[in-house]
Amino acid sequence: MSGKPRLTYLNGRGRMESIRWLLAAAGVEFEEIFLETKEQYEKIIKDGSLMFQQVPLVEIDGMKIVQTRAILSYVAGKYNLYGKDLKERALIDMYVEGIIDLMQMILMFPFSPPEAKEKNLDSIKERATNRYFPVFEKVLKQHGQDFLVGNKFSWADVQLIEAILAVEEKVPAVLSGFPQLQAFKIRMSNMPTIKKFLQPGSPRKPPPDEHYVETVLKIFSK
Amino acid sequence: MYQSCCRGLCLPPHGRLQAALPAAEGGHKLELESSAVAAGSALCELPCTARRLGARVQTQPSASQTQSPWHTDSRVPRPQGLRPRPLRRPRHRREPSAAPGPRSLSPAPAAVSLRRAAAARRRPRTGPRAKSGFARLQGNKKSETMAGKPKLHYSNGRGRMESIRWLLATAGVEFEEQFIEKKEDLEKLRNDGYLLFQQVPMVEIDGMKMVQTRAIGSYIAAKYNLYGKDLKERAWIDMYVEGTTDLMGMIMYLPFQAADTKEKNLALIIERATTRYFPVYEKALKDHGQDYLVGNKLSWADIHLLEAILMAEECKPDILSAFPLLQAFKGRTSNIPTIKKFLQPGSQRKPPTDEKAVAMVKKIYNI
């Protein structure tokens, strides 16, 4: 046992990517096990590793934690990325939940039928530009600080930089009306742990392609 | 401010508060650690005997409350000019003909009021509590009642708000509800800038307008000590809650589906409940043999599980037939006084979503 957290998921972004981001931002090295076949998946279900028969799974501190939010909350709490008190935690939770809703649209996008893809892309662009990014633009403008909550780097900042980059992959000019977010993106990208994660060779996974979609359908469909 | 005050029961500070949720079946005492003062302020609307007598009570600063200048916590530096005094000050007794005496005697009222006025001018006068000294001392009680009950904004139905109603009710917290009845109500909330992401649920609590169901649930659970004692217990509670959230999410959408999809999804719900979710909780209870899922103490996980069980039973009345420990759990937890009260007619618990409710929701949210 190396002592490092161990992640079990497919070799792709999916729901595990936010967890990779958070661990990397916290400077935590981790190991990964990639599910490639249905048999592998069925095996870990049989041996009782997956509480609800689902991945992501993160083995950390003697626990087998499942459920993305439970994992993220634990990692954030452990590495002091969750604010200094209950109210800051509430703000971080609100921001993170909003961003996760946006990320959910991106997560599901590769699985939309071809005829719905354009409409879904428009929805992503519309939600990002009208509902989510304006909130964070305003937050940064109002307090004028470098980070979203409590003038300190937190899970909310990691989640936001991940979302910005993910949306930009689909809608390249999406930040054009958001100067604060542009500056935020540069600042975050230059933080040493994040900078390292953004370089080739890091555990960061590429955008989902057809092969990834096929693997998901192969492993998880009945 | 009183750390340990709950519903008029004044307890020694730094003590553990017994039984806002007294013994459930099986004789286990539930210890509800008193938390932030704000917990007391939400629950306690009765003037405390101790406070009336002007006693100084050591408190710990509450996480959910900003520092107040009249905090009696000795760790908090007091601003200049404010010293603790009992609410009922001794009257100045003055001989009508007496000239002002030596400094050791009570000064003449005129001099006293001049000095007080000067002190008042020196005091920082900012924020909503910038009142005169006496009024500010009284303001302790006022600000508690002014902080008021949480206010829930949602349509008049279960939806995503129901889990929050369950949590607040179990914690013994009274709350108000403002129902969205038509599209214009939602538009108004949006136009007034009340909804961070233009969505409800929204809960006004402790000066915040909180949105996002999980964020609200997490805040309330933590505030009322329903979130375990440490990070690891919290992780377990989160896992369990996420599971029941997934199950209840499926049930929540059922009334909105077309007849044929509904039948298929109902079968899926029953299958998931009996093969994916309930076995997990049955096993958890079996493995540790305790009354509650995590840490031998009532938590958000238990409340959420009970809610999920009752919702699943509405889908299939005998759905717990293979789960004896969950049946016992259901019986025990339903008898917790605050939960028992919530389960009775006339509480703020909402009925299952019927066709009329579906029509209303579709109209309001443009589905």
Side-chain angles (χ1 to χ4, degrees):
Chain A
M1 251 315 250
S2 68
K4 298 181 195 173
R6 197 160 76 164
L7 280 51
T8 302
Y9 201 66
L10 287 78
N11 190 354
R13 288 185 181 177
R15 293 189 186 283
M16 188 62 100
E17 193 71 354
S18 298
I19 296 162
R20 296 182 185 109
W21 266 93
L22 194 56
L23 286 167
V28 178
E29 280 182 31
F30 53 89
E31 292 171 0
E32 296 199 74
I33 292 177
F34 297 122
L35 296 178
E36 270 142 13
T37 63
K38 201 170 185 159
E39 290 67 39
Q40 250 183 306
Y41 173 52
E42 280 166 356
K43 182 169 182 293
I44 52 173
I45 293 178
K46 268 207 187 72
D47 69 21
S49 295
L50 305 179
M51 184 184 272
F52 301 114
Q53 300 147 25
Q54 295 164 317
V55 285
L57 164 69
V58 173
E59 295 168 83
I60 183 170
D61 298 335
M63 292 185 293
K64 287 183 162 70
I65 314 185
V66 296
Q67 293 288 344
T68 315
R69 275 178 188 80
I71 298 165
L72 288 166
S73 290
Y74 182 79
V75 171
K78 182 176 174 179
Y79 295 104
N80 293 303
L81 296 167
Y82 221 161
K84 71 176 197 297
D85 59 25
L86 207 54
K87 279 203 166 178
E88 284 196 353
R89 198 161 82 184
L91 266 182
I92 291 169
D93 277 340
M94 278 193 276
Y95 294 159
V96 157
E97 287 293 312
I99 300 167
I100 286 177
D101 282 351
L102 175 61
M103 293 293 289
Q104 178 78 3
M105 298 172 81
I106 297 175
L107 181 84
M108 300 307 298
F109 180 78
F111 301 91
S112 23
E115 60 272 16
K117 275 206 158 68
E118 197 182 319
K119 191 179 113 207
N120 289 343
L121 188 58
D122 285 341
S123 291
I124 291 171
K125 182 180 178 184
E126 195 262 326
R127 281 280 194 266
T129 323
N130 296 333
R131 179 172 284 192
Y132 296 108
F133 287 170
V135 169
F136 304 107
E137 179 80 6
K138 185 176 171 197
V139 165
L140 290 168
K141 186 165 186 194
Q142 276 186 340
H143 60 46
Q145 292 162 4
D146 283 356
F147 306 105
L148 286 171
V149 178
N151 205 12
K152 188 170 177 276
F153 186 52
S154 77
W155 174 18
D157 302 298
V158 181
Q159 198 68 71
L160 181 56
I161 179 72
E162 181 194 357
I164 285 172
L165 296 180
V167 176
E168 274 188 334
E169 279 170 357
K170 300 221 144 357
V171 187
V174 71
L175 283 195
S176 57
F178 303 105
Q180 299 281 338
L181 291 182
Q182 291 172 33
F184 174 86
K185 174 190 159 190
I186 293 169
R187 268 197 317 273
M188 290 302 117
S189 305
N190 279 314
M191 291 189 65
T193 46
I194 294 182
K195 191 169 184 172
K196 190 173 165 198
F197 188 64
L198 291 173
Q199 275 157 4
S202 82
R204 189 183 185 211
K205 300 295 173 276
D209 58 10
E210 270 173 32
H211 172 72
Y212 173 75
V213 171
E214 270 166 31
T215 316
V216 168
L217 295 175
K218 186 178 76 178
I219 295 182
F220 295 117
S221 50
K222 296 224 160 170
Chain B
M1 301 293 186
Y2 295 87
Q3 183 188 14
S4 319
C5 189
C6 175
R7 297 213 216 95
L9 279 174
C10 227
L11 296 168
H14 310 297
R16 278 169 183 262
L17 178 66
Q18 294 284 351
L21 310 166
E25 270 173 34
H28 287 264
K29 265 202 201 145
L30 301 173
E31 284 193 359
L32 192 73
E33 277 186 8
S34 65
S35 75
V37 169
S41 68
L43 295 170
C44 179
E45 285 148 333
L46 305 171
C48 256
T49 308
R51 197 186 310 129
R52 274 204 301 275
L53 296 176
R56 278 180 67 175
V57 179
Q58 284 289 67
T59 63
Q60 287 176 8
S62 132
S64 60
Q65 203 154 6
T66 50
Q67 290 295 342
S68 57
W70 49 88
H71 217 139
T72 55
D73 188 328
S74 57
R75 287 174 289 169
V76 177
R78 274 191 212 89
Q80 294 290 329
L82 182 67
R83 52 186 167 80
R85 20 188 144 136
L87 282 178
R88 291 206 188 92
R89 287 195 300 279
R91 288 181 171 280
H92 294 290
R93 273 184 256 286
R94 185 169 69 126
E95 310 297 327
S97 57
R103 282 172 76 94
S104 56
L105 296 178
S106 298
V112 167
S113 61
L114 276 177
R115 206 170 59 229
R116 210 174 289 147
R121 279 194 297 274
R122 282 195 302 271
R123 272 194 294 272
R125 290 195 163 266
T126 51
R129 293 179 175 143
K131 301 174 196 151
S132 72
F134 185 81
R136 277 201 288 173
L137 283 169
Q138 262 201 325
N140 278 1
K141 178 177 127 198
K142 243 193 211 167
S143 66
E144 278 173 13
T145 49
M146 257 174 9
K149 306 176 190 176
K151 191 166 171 187
L152 279 50
H153 295 260
Y154 202 64
S155 35
N156 189 356
R158 286 185 180 175
R160 292 187 186 283
M161 189 60 101
E162 192 71 355
S163 296
I164 294 163
R165 297 182 185 109
W166 268 89
L167 252 184
L168 287 169
T170 305
V173 178
E174 283 183 27
F175 54 92
E176 291 172 4
E177 297 198 76
Q178 188 167 302
F179 295 122
I180 296 167
E181 273 149 9
K182 40 193 199 312
K183 210 187 304 190
E184 290 71 32
D185 298 336
L186 180 62
E187 289 307 319
K188 182 168 193 310
L189 285 172
R190 284 172 170 163
N191 293 336
D192 289 348
Y194 280 22
L195 307 178
L196 191 66
F197 300 114
Q198 319 307 325
Q199 296 164 315
V200 286
M202 189 269 277
V203 174
E204 295 180 77
I205 184 168
D206 297 335
M208 298 183 286
K209 288 179 171 58
M210 285 201 73
V211 295
Q212 292 291 342
T213 316
R214 276 180 189 81
I216 299 166
S218 291
Y219 181 77
I220 294 169
K223 182 177 170 178
Y224 296 105
N225 290 298
L226 295 164
Y227 222 162
K229 70 177 196 299
D230 59 24
L231 205 57
K232 281 196 171 185
E233 284 195 353
R234 203 187 131 123
W236 281 103
I237 291 168
D238 278 342
M239 275 193 273
Y240 291 141
V241 165
E242 289 293 304
T244 36
T245 298
D246 283 351
L247 177 59
M248 284 199 277
M250 295 171 76
I251 302 175
M252 185 171 61
Y253 281 114
L254 209 53
F256 293 87
Q257 288 158 3
D260 52 351
T261 354
K262 199 186 287 196
E263 202 181 309
K264 200 179 87 193
N265 283 335
L266 180 60
L268 183 62
I269 286 167
I270 293 166
E271 192 225 323
R272 284 277 154 83
T274 50
T275 60
R276 178 174 286 190
Y277 295 108
F278 288 162
V280 170
Y281 304 95
E282 179 83 5
K283 180 173 190 287
L285 292 170
K286 186 170 189 192
D287 284 351
H288 59 46
Q290 292 163 1
D291 283 357
Y292 306 101
L293 286 169
V294 179
N296 204 14
K297 185 171 176 275
L298 182 75
S299 75
W300 185 16
D302 304 294
I303 301 164
H304 220 242
L305 176 59
L306 178 62
E307 185 190 357
I309 285 172
L310 296 179
M311 275 186 88
E313 281 184 332
E314 283 166 0
C315 292
K316 185 174 190 284
D318 63 348
I319 203 167
L320 282 193
S321 55
F323 304 104
L325 293 179
L326 289 182
Q327 292 173 35
F329 172 87
K330 173 192 161 191
R332 267 196 319 271
T333 325
S334 305
N335 277 311
I336 291 172
T338 45
I339 295 182
K340 190 171 186 173
K341 190 171 163 199
F342 187 62
L343 291 173
Q344 275 158 5
S347 80
Q348 284 161 295
R349 188 183 182 211
K350 301 295 173 276
T353 309
D354 59 11
E355 271 172 32
K356 191 166 148 228
V358 168
M360 178 180 71
V361 166
K362 283 183 171 173
K363 211 169 90 172
I364 294 173
Y365 300 107
N366 263 344
I367 301 171

